[in-house]
């Protein structure tokens, strides 16, 4: 195994994936959301840098090619588990359904690759699959930011009468703590994150179907 900078960046991204869950284990919210967002965005950025540097410096290796998709999947799967888990208190199928589609596709394609073995090279990563990964990363980062807005809103309005809070949000009372800004940030980051997650789920279905089509010739029974 060759330990160059691109491979180290990929390995760090892989290690950052379980680190997302650790943030929520050791820190209270919204600090856990902040740390998870920074960690996730930083790790996602390495997804572009490690590939770019490996190609620019001609340091592409088998280990890097193996670790890169694993790190991407680990980041997405663990982040979705966290988001769905913390959304349980206000359960919504609009988050659970696209997350389920994405997780199912990752398991399905991984199973196909494992079964095909040496012929798994037929399931090469396409440009559309890269767009899918990008949409997933942006959607997850946006949904993490929703948690930040939500918990800052709760902290700033703690102990405030519900009627007074509604007046502040409606612009009927002076907003001394920026509650309206935090409320709008919570609402729109949630909506944008869900829209992007549904787009990612649609791309997930398309790329999954394409991988299945390419794998079918290798799955036919011989007589």
């Amino acid at each position: 195994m060759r330990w160059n900078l691109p491979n180290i960046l990929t390995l760090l991204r892989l290690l950052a994936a379980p680190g997302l869950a650790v943030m929520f284990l050791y820190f209270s919210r919204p600090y856990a959301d902040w740390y998870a967002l920074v960690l996730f965005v930083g790790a996602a950025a390495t997804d572009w840098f490690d590939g770019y540097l490996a190609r620019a410096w001609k340091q592409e290796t088998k280990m890097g090619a193996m670790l890169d998709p694993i790190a991407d999947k680990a980041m997405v799967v663990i982040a979705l588990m966290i988001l769905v888990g913390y959304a349980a208190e206000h359960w919504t199928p609009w988050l659970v359904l696209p997350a389920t589609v994405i997780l199912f596709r990752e398991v399905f394609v991984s199973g196909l690759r494992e079964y095909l073995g040496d012929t798994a090279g037929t399931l090469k990563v396409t440009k559309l699959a890269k767009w899918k990964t990008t949409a997933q990363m942006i959607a997850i980062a946006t949904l993490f930011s929703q948690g930040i807005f939500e918990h800052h809103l709760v902290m700033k309005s703690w102990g405030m009468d519900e009627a007074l809070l509604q007046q502040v949000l409606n612009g009927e009372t002076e907003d001394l703590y920026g509650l309206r800004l935090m409320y709008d940030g919570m609402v729109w980051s949630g909506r944008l994150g869900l829209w992007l997650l549904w787009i990612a789920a649609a791309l997930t279905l398309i790329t999954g179907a394409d991988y299945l089509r390419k794998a079918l010739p290798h799955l036919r029974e011989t007589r």
Side-chain angles (χ1 to χ4, degrees), residues 190-207:
R191 289 177 181 175
L192 179 60
L194 281 178
W195 292 338
L196 289 171
L197 197 64
W198 276 95
I199 292 173
L203 294 176
T204 291
L205 286 176
I206 295 171
T207 55

Side-chain angles (χ1 to χ4, degrees), residues 160-177:
M160 184 179 291
D161 180 76
E162 186 174 343
L164 177 59
L165 174 61
Q166 197 60 49
Q167 290 175 0
V168 172
L169 295 179
N170 291 337
E172 300 169 3
T173 302
E174 185 178 3
D175 187 359
L176 298 175
Y177 302 105

Side-chain angles (χ1 to χ4, degrees), residues 147-162:
I148 294 173
F149 284 116
E150 179 182 359
H151 282 80
H152 275 297
L153 175 62
V154 171
M155 290 170 63
K156 292 288 186 180
S157 61
W158 185 261
M160 184 179 291
D161 180 76
E162 186 174 343

Side-chain angles (χ1 to χ4, degrees), residues 7-186:
N7 285 349
I8 292 173
L9 289 175
T10 303
L11 181 61
L12 289 176
R13 186 165 79 257
L14 179 62
L15 295 176
L20 295 173
V22 173
M23 296 300 102
F24 289 86
L25 178 64
Y26 283 100
F27 300 102
S28 59
R29 304 181 75 182
Y31 306 107
D33 300 83
W34 269 113
Y35 299 148
L37 176 61
V38 171
L39 181 62
F40 184 85
V41 171
T46 67
D47 187 27
W48 182 83
F49 278 111
D50 59 9
Y52 173 79
L53 293 176
R55 291 186 297 271
W57 295 349
K58 301 186 184 304
Q59 293 184 348
E60 296 172 286
T61 63
K62 291 182 179 179
M63 184 179 73
M66 179 269 293
L67 286 179
D68 187 68
I70 295 175
D72 289 343
K73 288 177 173 57
M75 287 291 296
V76 169
V77 168
I78 293 176
L80 286 177
M81 287 174 56
I82 293 169
L83 290 171
V84 171
Y86 279 93
E89 56 193 54
H90 40 84
W91 182 266
T92 169
W94 298 110
L95 173 61
V96 176
L97 287 176
T100 301
V101 169
I102 292 170
L103 294 176
F104 177 82
R105 183 265 190 194
E106 299 299 354
V107 173
F108 181 77
V109 172
S110 295
L112 273 180
R113 291 183 184 278
E114 182 178 354
Y115 177 79
L116 292 176
D118 293 338
T119 58
T122 58
L123 305 183
K124 293 182 178 179
V125 177
T126 62
K127 287 187 177 180
L128 190 60
K130 292 180 180 179
W131 278 107
K132 176 265 302 178
T133 301
T134 301
Q136 288 176 353
M137 297 293 190
I138 297 175
I140 290 170
T142 305
L143 289 171
F144 272 136
S145 71
Q146 183 197 22
I148 294 173
F149 284 116
E150 179 182 359
H151 282 80
H152 275 297
L153 175 62
V154 171
M155 290 170 63
K156 292 288 186 180
S157 61
W158 185 261
M160 184 179 291
D161 180 76
E162 186 174 343
L164 177 59
L165 174 61
Q166 197 60 49
Q167 290 175 0
V168 172
L169 295 179
N170 291 337
E172 300 169 3
T173 302
E174 185 178 3
D175 187 359
L176 298 175
Y177 302 105
L179 299 181
R180 181 69 199 188
L181 179 62
M182 284 180 273
Y183 176 79
D184 289 340
M186 177 188 72

